Every structure is written in C-alpha cells, then in structure tokens.
C-alpha cells in the first residue's frame, strides 16, 4: 500500500521549490534554534543542514528532556534506587551519567529498576506490588499530562504505594531564558510540534512580542521543517516577529485544553534547575497540595552530595546553543554513543547523538 500522506511530506520536487525560495529571499545571516530533540534528529536524518544556504545556521536548543535533567536530579534518582523500592523509568534515562554511576549500573548491582513505556505501566506495577513504586517523571508538556492523569487515577483507586519524582520541565520559560541572555543570539525559533499540540500558540505570542523573535510551530517531516524555516526567514527579512503555526494539521491555536486541565489539576509551575541554565523561574512542575501524597518527597528524604559534572563535557553549552556538538573537545573522540560522557550523547533526542549519527559534524 502506498503511504501517500508520508510521501507528500517528503516530495523532493516540493523540497527543491522550498529550498530555492529560501535561497532567493534569505539575505542576512541567521541563527535559527530548534527547541525539540525530534527536530534535531530529523534535521540530521534528512540532511537538511547541508541543503540550506551557508548563512542560515540551525542550532539545537534544550529540546531533550533527559539532557536538561541535572546531574543532581540523576544522583537523587540513583540514590532513591538504593532504597527498598521499585523504580520505574523510561529507557533513555538508564545510561545518563550521574556524578559517579548511572541507573543501568545500579540495576546490574541489584537495584529494582524497571523500564516502562508510560506512567500507567508504572502504576500497573504498583497495583501488583506491595513495595513502593516510584515513577521518574522526566519530560516536557508532552509527557506531564499523562503523568498527571496517572496520578489522578492512582488517587481514585487509593493506591498508597505509588509516587512520582517530578523532574518535569516547561519549554516557554527556557526559551525566555535563552532570548533574554545577552551572550546568545537567536534570530528565530523552530518551535516544538509535540509540546505545542498541548500548549498552543499563546506562549510563543508572548515571546515574539516581548523579545521581538519570530516563532514558528513546525511539524517533523522534512517539508514541514523546510516550510517552517522559510516562514521564519520571511519574517526576519521583513523585520517582523510573530508567532505562527506551520504544523496546522496537529496544532490548534488554543492547544489541547483537556490535557492542560489535567496537568493543572495535579501540578503547578515552580522554579526548576536545568542543566547548563541553572535555575529558571516557573519552569518546573510541583505537586498541588491535594496530590502531595504522590510526591516522592513526601515519602523519602533523598539527600545527595554536591553533583560532579562530567569532566570537560560541554552539554550545558550545547543545550543553550552556545556551541554546536563538534565544538566540544570530546566529541567523536572520547565521547561516542558507545561511550557517552554526557547526556547529549546518550539520549535518542540528544544533539550530540544526532550530530554523530548523521555525520552532521562533517558539514557543520
Ligand atoms: S560530545 Fe559528549 S562530552 Fe561533549 S557535550 Fe556532547 S555529550 Fe557532552
């Protein structure tokens, strides 16, 4: 059966037309940041970086949830696994280095750590288990509504041995931190498709108006990305800064109100630390009083020493778009997917992993 839908979004003729329009109208050097690990991966997978005019630079931002999780948070998760608990986590987190070890090594040493595909699987473990089950909640606005729905279900079913380590992070405050930083120059944002399905256009309108930076919510197919870039360049060349939606087949201006409602039922925004950024106000999700019984902190006092960052790893600068992965001295030398030094090389959405996998460093 012919996959017409996918074919249309990968049509080489349309790609050529978009590229020629970009080349025709683009006059000034621009740095466009994609704020989503899936965009980073697909830019590499379809070789888009090498097709664009040299003065149109694509840089990756803090779009990988595992990568922006701090070493201290990883240490706390590892420490938690030393307790008499079942720790449930997404697979991506297993190899992320903490100060001294990672979850994978802890599991090999006997810790009860299970890889699950959703927070509901973790709740399922708690229903079958007498031991406490802790789900490691790492993710952006895309993941948080499902985790919140799981917590609501746990409350309804009076599950007493289930809790969540909330390391969730919110994307717009991180984008605001990037554009308000004096040492970073970002001319436009390729806004994340999945996150935007939930949050809609409004948060980007605020950013575009306040910081005069164009924002385009973009889908993930190669033509989506090229069209999103063209929309940004059109704005930049005309001196405009608006928030627009390229990914109209999935994103509504108001977002997904039901998902937002579920998330707001359980969590409220609070300050959070991000790898490379430090504290970003109102960029995390903390438990509301009515759901505190599911906060891991209500059950365990997790104390860890000061975190030790991986030696010479520049993940923090990669996540801020300050450098691109090949500018890290360890890239493709000491640090490779088989021997990752930092999370950006571990995660399937990490920039260093994307550059390495698609050999983008050769054209960077
Ligand atoms: S190449 Fe490795 S060490 Fe360097 S920034 Fe990327 S993950 Fe960190």
């Amino acid at each position: 059966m012919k996959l017409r839908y996918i074919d249309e979004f990968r049509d080489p003729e349309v790609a050529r037309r978009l590229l020629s329009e970009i080349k025709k109208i683009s006059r000034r050097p621009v740095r466009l940041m994609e704020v989503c690990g899936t965009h980073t991966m697909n830019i590499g997978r379809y070789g888009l970086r090498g097709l664009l005019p040299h003065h149109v630079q694509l840089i990756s931002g803090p779009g990988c949830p595992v990568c922006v999780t701090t070493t201290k948070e990883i240490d706390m998760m590892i420490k938690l696994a030393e307790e008499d608990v079942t720790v449930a986590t997404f697979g991506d987190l297993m190899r992320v280095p903490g100060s001294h070890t990672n979850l994978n090594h802890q599991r090999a040493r006997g810790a009860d750590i299970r890889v699950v595909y959703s927070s509901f699987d973790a709740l399922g473990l708690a229903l079958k288990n007498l031991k406490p089950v802790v789900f490691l909640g790492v993710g952006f606005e895309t993941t948080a509504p499902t985790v919140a729905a799981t917590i609501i279900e746990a409350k309804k079913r009076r599950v007493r041995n289930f809790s969540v380590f909330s390391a969730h992070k919110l994307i717009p405050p991180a984008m605001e931190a990037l554009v308000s930083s004096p040492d970073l120059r970002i001319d436009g944002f390729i806004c994340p498709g999945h996150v935007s399905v939930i949050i809609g256009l409004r948060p980007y309108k605020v950013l575009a108006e306040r910081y005069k930076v164009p924002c385009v919510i973009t889908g993930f197919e190669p033509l989506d990305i090229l069209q999103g870039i063209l929309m940004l360049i059109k704005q930049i060349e005309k001196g405009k800064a608006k928030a627009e939606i390229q990914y109209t087949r999935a994103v509504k201006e108001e977002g997904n109100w039901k998902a937002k409602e579920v998330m707001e039922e359980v969590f409220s925004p609070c300050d959070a630390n991000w790898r490379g950024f430090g504290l970003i106000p109102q960029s995390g999700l903390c438990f509301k009083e009515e759901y505190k019984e599911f906060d891991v902190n209500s059950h365990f006092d997790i104390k860890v020493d000061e975190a030790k960052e991986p030696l010479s790893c520049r993940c923090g600068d990669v996540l801020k778009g300050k450098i691109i992965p090949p500018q890290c001295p360890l890239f493709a030398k000491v640090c490779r997917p088989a021997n990752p030094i930092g999370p950006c090389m571990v995660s399937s959405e990490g920039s260093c992993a994307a550059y390495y996998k698609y050999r983008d460093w050769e054209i960077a």
Side-chain angles (χ1 to χ4, degrees), residues 129-174:
N129 217 329
L130 287 177
K131 246 181 13 177
V133 173
V134 182
F135 176 68
L136 305 182
V138 168
F140 299 130
E141 291 91 335
T142 342
T143 315
T146 315
V147 177
T150 310
I151 292 164
I152 292 169
E153 181 68 16
K155 190 174 174 82
K156 213 188 310 170
R157 297 173 76 155
R158 296 170 198 273
V159 185
R160 301 277 175 241
N161 62 333
F162 178 71
S163 60
V164 172
F165 186 126
S166 178
H168 297 103
K169 308 241 183 320
L170 303 172
I171 285 287

Side-chain angles (χ1 to χ4, degrees), residues 55-276:
H55 61 271
V56 176
Q57 199 190 354
L58 301 182
I59 46 172
S60 312
C64 158
V66 165
C67 306
V68 296
T69 303
T70 61
T71 304
K72 183 173 181 187
E73 285 170 319
I74 301 290
D75 286 346
M76 289 171 82
M77 291 167 185
I78 291 167
K79 178 89 181 164
L80 181 68
E82 290 169 5
E83 303 277 338
D84 186 22
V85 296
T86 300
V87 169
T89 175
F90 296 135
D92 256 13
L93 215 54
M94 293 296 287
R95 293 199 310 144
V96 177
S99 295
H100 308 288
T101 178
N102 63 27
L103 288 165
N104 225 4
H105 290 143
Q106 288 310 97
R107 183 164 68 174
R109 286 188 196 121
D112 185 4
I113 303 171
R114 319 271 181 100
V115 172
V116 291
Y117 293 101
S118 89
S119 48
F120 277 100
D121 292 346
L123 179 60
L125 287 176
L127 287 165
K128 283 191 240 142
N129 217 329
L130 287 177
K131 246 181 13 177
V133 173
V134 182
F135 176 68
L136 305 182
V138 168
F140 299 130
E141 291 91 335
T142 342
T143 315
T146 315
V147 177
T150 310
I151 292 164
I152 292 169
E153 181 68 16
K155 190 174 174 82
K156 213 188 310 170
R157 297 173 76 155
R158 296 170 198 273
V159 185
R160 301 277 175 241
N161 62 333
F162 178 71
S163 60
V164 172
F165 186 126
S166 178
H168 297 103
K169 308 241 183 320
L170 303 172
I171 285 287
M175 290 169 73
E176 184 161 6
L178 285 164
V179 283
S180 51
S181 168
D183 58 337
L184 302 171
R185 200 198 96 218
I186 296 160
D187 299 303
F189 281 116
I190 300 170
C191 301
H194 298 320
V195 163
S196 307
V197 169
I198 308 295
I199 66 175
L201 192 66
R202 215 184 74 80
Y204 308 115
K205 275 188 174 170
V206 176
L207 269 179
E209 276 161 27
R210 191 174 297 158
Y211 297 97
K212 306 284 170 255
V213 57
C215 297
V216 175
I217 299 171
T218 306
F220 299 100
E221 292 297 331
L223 296 191
D224 285 325
I225 299 172
L226 288 179
Q227 195 175 38
I229 292 169
L230 177 61
M231 289 166 76
L232 282 169
I233 289 175
K234 274 185 180 165
Q235 285 200 46
I236 294 166
E237 292 295 334
K238 285 183 189 155
K240 299 232 155 65
K242 292 187 292 183
E244 296 180 301
I245 308 176
Q246 179 280 331
Y247 196 25
T248 47
R249 65 189 184 279
V251 177
K252 294 196 196 97
E253 187 154 347
E254 70 279 14
N256 181 332
W257 63 267
K258 183 72 197 156
K260 283 192 278 189
E261 211 172 71
V262 170
M263 193 160 62
E264 282 160 19
E265 161 77 20
V266 176
F267 298 119
S268 54
C270 58
D271 299 348
N273 275 300
W274 294 53
R275 185 184 297 269

Side-chain angles (χ1 to χ4, degrees), residues 310-316 318 323 325 328-332 335-336 340-346 352-353:
L311 209 61
S312 306
C313 169
R314 302 279 307 272
C315 278
V318 169
I323 63 164
C328 168
L330 306 186
F331 181 83
C335 184
R336 293 163 182 263
I341 305 296
C344 298
M345 189 60 94
V346 177
C352 299

Side-chain angles (χ1 to χ4, degrees), residues 285-332:
L285 288 175
C286 291
F287 282 82
K288 283 193 168 159
E289 204 49 51
E290 308 87 282
Y291 291 92
K292 273 258 155 66
E293 62 188 290
F294 297 100
D295 182 351
V296 71
N297 297 307
S298 302
H299 302 267
F300 303 94
D301 184 20
I302 319 165
K303 290 226 165 44
V304 291
D305 294 336
E306 201 172 320
K308 285 200 183 87
E309 299 305 327
L311 209 61
S312 306
C313 169
R314 302 279 307 272
C315 278
D317 289 336
V318 169
L319 291 164
K320 286 189 290 189
K322 218 169 171 178
I323 63 164
I324 55 170
Q327 290 173 308
C328 168
L330 306 186
F331 181 83

